[in-house]
Amino acid sequence: MKMTFRWYGESDSIPLQYIKQIPNMHGVVTAVYDVPVGEVWQEEKIARLKTLCDKAGLGMEVIESVPVHEDIKLGKPSRDKYIANYAQTIRNLGKFGVKCICYNFMPVFDWLRTDLKTTAADGSNSLSYNHEQLLRLDPQNLHLPGWDESYTVSELNSLLDAYKNVTHEQLFDNLVYFLKGIMPACDQAGIDMAIHPDDPPWDMFGLPRIVTGAKSYDSMIKAVPNKHNGFTFCTGSLGAGRQNDLPAMAKKYADRIYFAHIRQLKYCGDKDFTEAGHRTGAGDLDIYAIVKALVNAGFDGYVRPDHGRNIWGEAGKPGYGLYDRALGAAYLNGLFEAMEKEKK
Ligand code: DNO
């Protein structure tokens, strides 16, 4: 296992040196943030990030995310141009030692929560999701961190309109077309693509979502068997779908899981949940069983603690403060060490 930590580039308030001080930290998971979606990431920008990581003694082997242009997801004629750009970005990243790219294929919106600061009894706060509240939200008036907020209201409206005719099957075909288009670049660069599951794993605002559990994984492998077509196993996203058996999935897909986002949820309704500290006892996901299944099935990929709570008075980016994610990393280090030694 290679422990990593998400770092939002030079504008992140958490210095690389602090990340390096977390025990067993192998590298950061980062991205070039100032290139419009669909354009090629030029080598100079990648080189700059790489130099910063090198100086801090941290690897830069995982990128999260190289976003996928909506025209690709919509299957528009212009997609070929954007796929060629994406392939060029893959080749450029390969030159700087990148091994894994995390991406998602969710139409228009990335992850969705209804509250970014739900306060727990101990005074910490975390992200939460309430389905009834979500249904009452106006998709044109949402502001959440991590989203592409570069759309104007009219652009957003026409995007939402464009998806009205896109079925789950078409969206899946468009994903396959995209993957087939970029696999040669992955072969050349030695880069694994690791799709992030939809979060939460069900349709939102009438938009189809297709990466929701084991069935989606099977269809993806069947359609694109190339080994560079793989997964980001995000326990929190998949775990919001109560039907997903995470230890079973970890076991079954370990050889295609290139990156694991490990975090905890506490269920509070059929679809509702609050995020919690990483430990198994803090929520409803059996983090112990998940890590055990991964290790026993031979997983040797990148791991990162995911969304942390805000604790100790920290006012960090929701989900991405330093303290609780560092605690998560320490906990996961312990679990992995125990499992890896037991396996030997
Ligand atoms: C949220 C993240 C997601 C993830 C993208 C990957 O915290 O897990 O925003 O980075 O979906 O493309």
Side-chain angles (χ1 to χ4, degrees):
M1 172 279 281
K2 292 174 279 285
M3 183 58 74
T4 60
F5 203 81
R6 192 169 195 182
W7 179 64
Y8 283 94
E10 287 169 90
S11 67
D12 197 318
S13 61
I14 303 170
L16 284 173
Q17 195 189 19
Y18 287 14
I19 297 176
K20 177 70 183 170
Q21 289 167 358
I22 302 168
N24 192 35
M25 199 44 73
H26 176 89
V28 292
V29 170
T30 190
V32 168
Y33 290 98
D34 58 352
V35 172
V37 177
E39 282 177 27
V40 177
W41 291 11
Q42 299 302 340
E43 288 183 36
E44 304 80 73
K45 293 200 185 262
I46 304 168
R48 187 182 164 86
L49 276 178
K50 171 83 169 123
T51 305
L52 292 169
C53 295
D54 283 349
K55 272 195 197 140
L58 288 161
M60 193 189 82
E61 292 158 29
V62 186
I63 296 297
E64 176 175 350
S65 304
V66 181
V68 178
H69 196 276
E70 296 297 328
D71 286 8
I72 298 179
K73 298 181 216 165
L74 284 163
K76 285 197 177 167
S78 47
R79 68 178 158 178
D80 292 324
K81 175 182 87 194
Y82 291 118
I83 292 174
N85 287 353
Y86 204 102
Q88 188 54 46
T89 296
I90 291 173
R91 286 189 291 266
N92 290 353
L93 287 168
K95 290 182 198 155
F96 294 89
V98 168
K99 302 275 176 250
C100 175
I101 295 175
C102 169
Y103 71 105
N104 74 73
F105 216 73
M106 289 176 256
V108 194
F109 304 111
D110 194 326
W111 53 295
L112 285 161
R113 295 291 181 276
T114 46
D115 186 13
L116 301 179
K117 252 188 166 180
T118 299
T119 306
D122 64 5
S124 62
N125 65 68
S126 63
L127 309 168
S128 68
Y129 177 89
N130 177 289
H131 196 62
E132 287 301 313
Q133 272 175 33
L134 194 279
L135 294 178
R136 286 197 296 268
L137 288 180
D138 174 2
Q140 284 156 28
N141 211 356
L142 289 175
H143 304 281
L144 289 179
W147 280 19
D148 182 353
E149 296 216 15
S150 54
Y151 302 123
T152 62
V153 171
S154 79
E155 279 166 347
L156 191 56
N157 270 330
S158 56
L159 255 185
L160 291 170
D161 258 6
Y163 275 103
K164 284 202 176 117
N165 305 313
V166 178
T167 62
H168 291 85
E169 291 72 23
Q170 280 161 347
L171 185 62
F172 181 77
D173 289 347
N174 296 342
L175 169 61
V176 171
Y177 184 94
F178 164 67
L179 282 169
K180 287 187 174 160
I182 60 168
M183 282 298 120
C186 292
D187 290 336
Q188 201 185 330
I191 287 186
D192 294 320
M193 293 301 296
I195 198 165
H196 190 284
D198 302 340
D199 181 9
W202 48 78
D203 292 0
M204 286 288 177
F205 304 122
L207 297 163
R209 289 192 156 195
I210 54 169
V211 188
T212 55
K215 266 198 192 147
S216 331
Y217 278 20
D218 288 336
S219 321
M220 279 189 68
I221 297 170
K222 190 161 173 250
V224 185
N226 187 315
K227 269 288 184 179
H228 293 299
N229 170 30
F231 310 112
T232 295
F233 191 68
C234 177
T235 61
S237 308
L238 291 165
R242 310 297 197 264
Q243 72 286 359
N244 287 325
D245 178 342
L246 299 184
M249 285 183 78
K251 182 175 175 202
K252 181 166 179 203
Y253 303 105
D255 66 330
R256 292 230 180 209
I257 295 176
Y258 298 120
F259 188 22
H261 285 179
I262 306 189
R263 66 178 163 90
Q264 183 59 285
L265 296 179
K266 200 159 179 47
Y267 299 145
C268 38
D270 282 350
K271 289 189 157 171
D272 310 340
F273 58 84
T274 302
E275 297 184 358
H278 287 71
R279 215 170 49 87
T280 297
D284 288 301
L285 304 182
D286 192 340
I287 304 293
Y288 162 86
I290 292 167
V291 170
K292 189 173 182 182
L294 281 172
V295 172
N296 286 339
F299 168 81
D300 192 29
Y302 300 94
V303 170
R304 73 168 177 81
D306 203 358
H307 303 181
R309 304 161 300 155
N310 268 314
I311 60 170
W312 301 339
E314 188 180 23
K317 196 176 174 66
Y320 288 96
L322 172 65
Y323 304 144
D324 198 41
R325 282 190 299 150
L327 289 178
Y331 166 69
L332 294 171
N333 279 333
L335 274 188
F336 272 92
E337 179 179 339
M339 296 305 157
E340 283 165 1
K341 286 195 171 149
E342 225 168 78
K343 197 187 167 198
K344 280 186 198 145

